[in-house]
Structures are given as C-alpha cells and as structure tokens.
C-alpha cells in the first residue's frame, strides 16, 4: 500500500511537472511572439527599412502603381493599363507616409485628409520632366481637379481602409504591451511555484525544456507563414492589399524563424547539461 501510494505521488508529481512545462512553454511563446510583432510589424521605423530591401521593393512598386492606375481611371487619364508608371524613388515617399500614418503609438485616427495631402504633394514633387509621359498626364489631370484632388487620392489609395488599419494597429500595439506585461508576471509566478517544488537543477531543466518547445513552435508557425507567398499567389487576395502585406511579411517571418532557432539552441545546451544521467 505504501509503495502504491508513493507511485501515485510520483505519477502526480510528473503530471504536475508536465503541466507546468506546457504552461510555461505557452507563456514564453506568447511573450516572444508578441514582443517581436510589436517590434517589427507595428514599428514604423522597422517596416520602412523592410520595404527598402531588394526582395520587397518590387512588391511595393506594384502595390503603389496599382493605386496609381486606379487614380488614372478615376481621372479619366489615358495610360498604359497595369503598368509601373512610378519608379522606386517615386513610390517610396508615398509608402513612407502611409506607414508613418498607420503604425506606431498614436491617437485614434478620424481623418485621413492630411495623409491625402502628403500623397498629393509626393506625386507633385516626384513626377517631373524625367517621369513617364503617362505619369505626367495623370499629374496634369490631377492638378486640374483643384479642391477635388484629395477626394480622388482618397478613393484611389483606399485611404479609408488605411485609416481603419491604423486604428486596428494602435489597438494591437496597446493590447500586445498589456498581454506581454501580464504574461511576464504570470511566468514569474509560475517559475516561483516550480522552484518551491523542485531543486535548482530540475528547475533549470524544466524551464529550458519549455524554452525549447516555445522555440520549436515559433520555428514551425513562422516557417509556414513565411512560405505561404512562395507556394500560393497571395496577390489575388482581397481586403485592401492583404496579399502584398503577406509578401512583405515573408522575410520578417524568416527573422522569426531565426529567433526561434536561437532560442532552441540556447535552451538545448543547459537542458542537456541538467539531464539526469
């Protein structure tokens, strides 16, 4: 009976330890993932640097030129359909202003008039005598609209959707920060509870095991998201340029994979060292 009771206690301790490790692995995964999302996708400085990489420049050019083609259609300006009328130098200021408007910590956006004015200024300043004749024609037609120019800019560049996205982004930013803080506190509490039930060696072993699982799931999930644009034609997706966002995000998710690998390796070394012989 005593032997059976000890076996039951041992089994219960093992089950409790497994639950602790699973919970801690989930908490570590949440902390790392949300911290990286906040520091990358919700960081205007990072994203402006990201769109300047060689892989993403072509994506940005296609996206901005799609809106510029729409502007031409709204103005009734003759142009070559589905062509890149703007160059990299001409599209970057527009993209930078949209990113600055959308990302980072800001107040709730109500109006996009200022953004429309910035895009209008970018078009007027970047399209000069060296630009394509079609682009110059569109700029000329836009100038003729006078006060209605901002209306056409807003429609062509889907600025109402951009405003919605900006408000969602700031909400995600705040929620991410809150969740990370709460999760860190929960992790400290959990580790303190684990410490009271085990030795230092066992504690290190369990924490690093949780870190390895968190790294594994980060590698797996981010890896799948990174290869989606490679396997599927995401440009055909609706919802205001979601496909273009997925293409740009592909290289960011590869960074997530690298972080997952680093976490896994850093945790694997002490985990192996504290494994019972």
């Amino acid at each position: 009976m005593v032997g059976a009771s000890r076996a039951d206690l041992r089994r219960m301790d093992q089950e409790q330890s497994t639950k602790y490790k699973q919970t801690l692995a989930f908490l570590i995964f949440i902390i790392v993932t949300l911290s990286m999302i906040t520091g990358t996708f919700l960081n205007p400085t990072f994203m402006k640097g990201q769109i300047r990489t060689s892989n993403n420049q072509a994506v940005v050019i296609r996206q901005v030129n799609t809106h510029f083609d729409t502007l031409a259609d709204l103005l009734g300006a003759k142009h070559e359909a589905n062509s890149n009328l703007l160059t990299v130098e001409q599209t970057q200021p527009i993209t930078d202003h949209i990113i600055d408007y959308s990302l980072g910590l800001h107040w709730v956006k109500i109006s996009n008039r200022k953004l429309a004015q910035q895009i209008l200024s970018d078009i007027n300043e970047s399209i000069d005598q060296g630009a394509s004749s079609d682009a110059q024609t569109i700029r000329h037609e836009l100038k003729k609209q006078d006060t209605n120019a901002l209306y056409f800019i807003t429609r062509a560049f889907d600025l109402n959707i951009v405003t919605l996205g900006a408000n969602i982004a700031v909400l995600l930013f705040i929620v991410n920060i809150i969740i990370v803080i709460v999760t860190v506190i929960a992790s400290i509490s959990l580790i303190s509870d684990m410490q009271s039930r085990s030795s230092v060696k066992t504690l290190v072993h369990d924490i690093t095991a949780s870190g390895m699982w968190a790294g594994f799931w980060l590698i797996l999930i981010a890896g799948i998201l990174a290869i989606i644009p490679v396997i599927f034609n995401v440009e055909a997706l609706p919802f205001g340029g979601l496909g273009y966002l997925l293409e740009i995000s592909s290289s960011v998710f590869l960074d997530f994979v690298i972080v997952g690998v680093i976490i896994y390796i850093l945790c694997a070394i002490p985990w192996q060292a504290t494994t019972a012989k």
Side-chain angles (χ1 to χ4, degrees):
M1 293 293 293
V2 174
S5 298
R6 288 178 178 175
D8 290 340
L9 288 173
R10 193 179 301 112
R11 188 184 72 255
M12 291 175 63
D13 287 342
Q14 290 175 346
E15 291 177 352
Q16 187 68 37
S17 177
T18 301
K19 289 181 180 178
Y20 276 143
K21 286 187 286 188
Q22 290 174 345
T23 303
L24 185 58
F26 176 73
L27 293 177
I28 294 173
F29 175 79
I30 292 296
I31 292 170
V32 174
T33 303
L34 293 186
S35 297
M36 290 194 65
I37 288 174
T38 304
T40 55
F41 293 112
L42 301 179
N43 181 355
T45 302
F46 177 88
M47 291 306 296
K48 282 192 288 187
Q50 191 66 23
I51 64 171
R52 283 169 168 75
T53 61
S54 57
N55 292 334
N56 290 327
Q57 279 186 346
V59 178
V60 172
I61 290 175
R62 290 199 306 271
Q63 173 69 337
V64 175
N65 273 286
T66 298
H67 291 299
F68 200 67
D69 285 340
T70 303
L71 177 62
D73 293 335
L74 291 173
L75 294 171
K78 294 182 179 180
H79 68 290
E80 185 178 348
N82 301 320
S83 59
N84 287 343
L85 302 177
L86 301 179
T87 64
V88 175
E89 292 74 17
Q90 293 164 343
T91 58
Q92 278 186 352
I94 296 174
T95 310
D96 284 348
H97 282 131
I98 292 176
I99 290 175
D100 285 332
Y101 175 87
S102 304
L103 304 182
L105 187 60
H106 53 75
W107 296 109
V108 174
K109 301 290 186 180
I110 299 174
S111 171
N112 49 40
R113 182 178 179 84
K114 183 177 179 181
L115 176 59
Q117 289 173 332
Q118 289 175 327
I119 294 175
L120 179 60
S121 297
D122 292 335
I123 292 174
N124 288 332
E125 292 172 5
S126 62
I127 299 178
D128 51 23
Q129 296 300 319
S132 66
S133 58
D134 286 343
Q136 292 183 47
T137 300
I138 295 169
R139 175 174 173 268
H140 178 70
E141 292 294 330
L142 190 59
K143 278 192 170 183
K144 289 166 57 178
Q145 298 300 322
D146 196 19
T147 56
N148 291 328
L150 295 182
Y151 166 77
F152 287 107
I153 292 290
T154 301
R155 283 193 58 189
F157 285 85
D158 294 327
L159 296 191
N160 290 331
I161 295 178
V162 173
T163 300
L164 176 62
N167 290 329
I168 293 175
V170 72
L171 179 62
L172 287 176
F173 188 99
I174 296 172
V175 170
N176 281 2
I177 297 298
I178 294 173
I179 292 177
V180 168
I181 293 174
V182 172
T183 308
V184 168
I185 295 173
S187 299
I188 295 173
S189 176
L190 181 62
I191 292 173
S192 178
D193 195 16
M194 292 170 65
Q195 185 179 16
S196 66
R197 295 169 177 265
S198 61
S199 64
V200 174
K201 181 178 179 180
T202 303
L203 178 65
V204 172
H205 186 77
D206 290 345
I207 291 175
T208 52
S210 299
M212 290 171 63
W213 275 110
F216 167 78
W217 284 112
L218 184 60
I219 294 169
L220 180 64
I221 295 173
I224 292 173
L225 292 173
I227 64 174
I228 285 178
V230 179
I231 299 174
F232 303 101
N233 179 22
V234 294
E235 289 186 19
L237 293 175
F239 308 115
L242 177 61
Y244 290 100
L245 179 60
L246 284 175
E247 280 198 80
I248 293 173
S249 302
S250 179
S251 57
V252 182
F253 285 126
L254 287 178
D255 293 338
F256 280 43
V257 172
I258 294 173
V259 171
V261 171
I262 293 173
I263 292 173
Y264 189 92
I265 294 174
L266 290 178
C267 290
I269 296 172
W271 176 84
Q272 183 63 41
T274 54
T275 300
K277 303 298 182 181

